[in-house]
Amino acid sequence: AQSVTQLGSHVSVSEGALVLLRCNYSSSVPPYLFWYVQYPNQGLQLLLKYTTGATLVKGINGFEAEFKKSETSFHLTKPSAHMSDAAEYFCAVTGQDSSYKLIFGSGTRLLVRP
Amino acid sequence: DAGITQSPRHKVTETGTPVTLRCHQTENHRYMYWYRQDPGHGLRLIHYSYGVKDTDKGEVSDGYSVSRSKTEDFLLTLESATSSQTSVYFCAISESVANEKLFFGSGTQLSVL
């Protein structure tokens, strides 16, 4: 069965610093990969997704992620953190089977210090 | 924002009582999903629907049932609520299969005492 592991339930960075949120997946077939963001008291919003093609994916709000098949990773980065980036981030994976159901990681809460 | 409304937004109930949560969409999307969110577990799929009267189980379906009699409404029922079902429940919709964009509702906070 597919699974997603997010390393670090909490990540704290200073405003202006690099943001790196880690995601590793287990899949026997090339997956589709997603990052979602959840702001307080809201539902999730799609940040970016990888399906096929270019392995470096750019998303909204300056975030990007790189699919590395050899490392089974899909880490999320942003060069310079902003206070408004404070939220919880979820990595998710689905397979190319008929169900296409998303499997979510346990989430990483990003704290941005002034 | 996608037109997804979850009701109620908050509910407190007692163990053993039935509870129904409603998800209503105005997007005419085919796929609808119910997830629960718990600390340390992320979001886990309870049930999903791929059309009117077409539903299937997710990874944590025990104790839950669903119904979809109209495209716009997807109901989640806890037949006999238990304290382990205290959670935040999210409805999501997608126009096609899950490799497309999911739109989420604002969630329902359910407390079972």
Side-chain angles (χ1 to χ4, degrees):
Chain A
Q2 293 168 342
S3 65
V4 178
T5 302
Q6 291 185 240
L7 296 176
S9 59
H10 292 80
V11 170
S12 180
V13 300
S14 298
E15 190 173 19
L18 171 71
V19 175
L20 171 60
L21 305 182
R22 300 178 186 274
C23 173
N24 289 89
Y25 65 91
S26 65
S27 176
S28 58
V29 296
Y32 294 166
L33 294 155
F34 307 78
W35 275 100
Y36 280 82
V37 60
Q38 184 181 31
Y39 298 103
N41 300 313
Q42 295 185 25
L44 280 68
Q45 304 171 35
L46 181 66
L47 263 183
L48 50 80
K49 65 179 181 182
Y50 169 79
T51 53
T52 59
T55 57
L56 182 62
V57 181
K58 294 186 183 299
I60 61 173
N61 301 335
F63 284 93
E64 62 183 34
E66 185 172 10
F67 170 57
K68 292 186 176 181
K69 184 178 179 180
S70 61
E71 299 178 6
T72 61
S73 69
F74 191 57
H75 301 331
L76 182 70
T77 60
K78 182 175 180 178
S80 177
H82 191 271
M83 297 297 291
S84 61
D85 295 327
E88 190 156 20
Y89 293 79
F90 293 92
C91 182
V93 61
T94 188
Q96 294 173 325
D97 60 12
S98 60
S99 68
Y100 290 96
K101 290 178 287 187
L102 278 181
I103 305 297
F104 284 87
S106 56
T108 298
R109 185 168 298 278
L110 176 66
L111 308 171
V112 183
R113 305 185 302 271
Chain B
D1 290 343
I4 308 171
T5 304
Q6 290 186 233
S7 59
R9 291 296 312 276
H10 299 86
K11 186 169 182 67
V12 180
T13 191
E14 294 183 349
T15 299
T17 60
V19 176
T20 296
L21 308 183
R22 180 181 183 234
C23 178
H24 177 79
Q25 60 142 331
T26 58
E27 305 297 320
N28 201 36
H29 283 359
R30 177 181 176 186
Y31 293 79
M32 299 186 75
Y33 310 82
W34 276 108
Y35 286 89
R36 59 178 290 174
Q37 182 178 23
D38 303 288
H41 290 277
L43 276 78
R44 293 179 290 177
L45 182 64
I46 306 171
H47 282 279
Y48 67 103
S49 170
Y50 44 95
V52 173
K53 297 186 180 179
D54 291 324
T55 64
D56 204 351
K57 296 179 179 180
E59 58 184 312
V60 290
S61 59
D62 288 348
Y64 302 94
S65 63
V66 291
S67 66
R68 191 167 178 201
S69 58
K70 298 184 292 185
T71 298
E72 57 266 34
D73 289 325
F74 193 32
L75 304 181
L76 177 70
T77 297
L78 291 66
E79 300 291 346
S80 178
T82 67
S83 58
S84 65
Q85 293 176 313
T86 293
S87 186
V88 180
Y89 291 86
F90 285 98
C91 174
I93 64 173
S94 64
E95 190 169 12
S96 61
V97 295
N99 59 338
E100 297 296 330
K101 188 174 181 178
L102 277 183
F103 296 94
F104 283 81
S106 299
T108 295
Q109 172 69 63
L110 176 67
S111 297
V112 183
L113 306 179

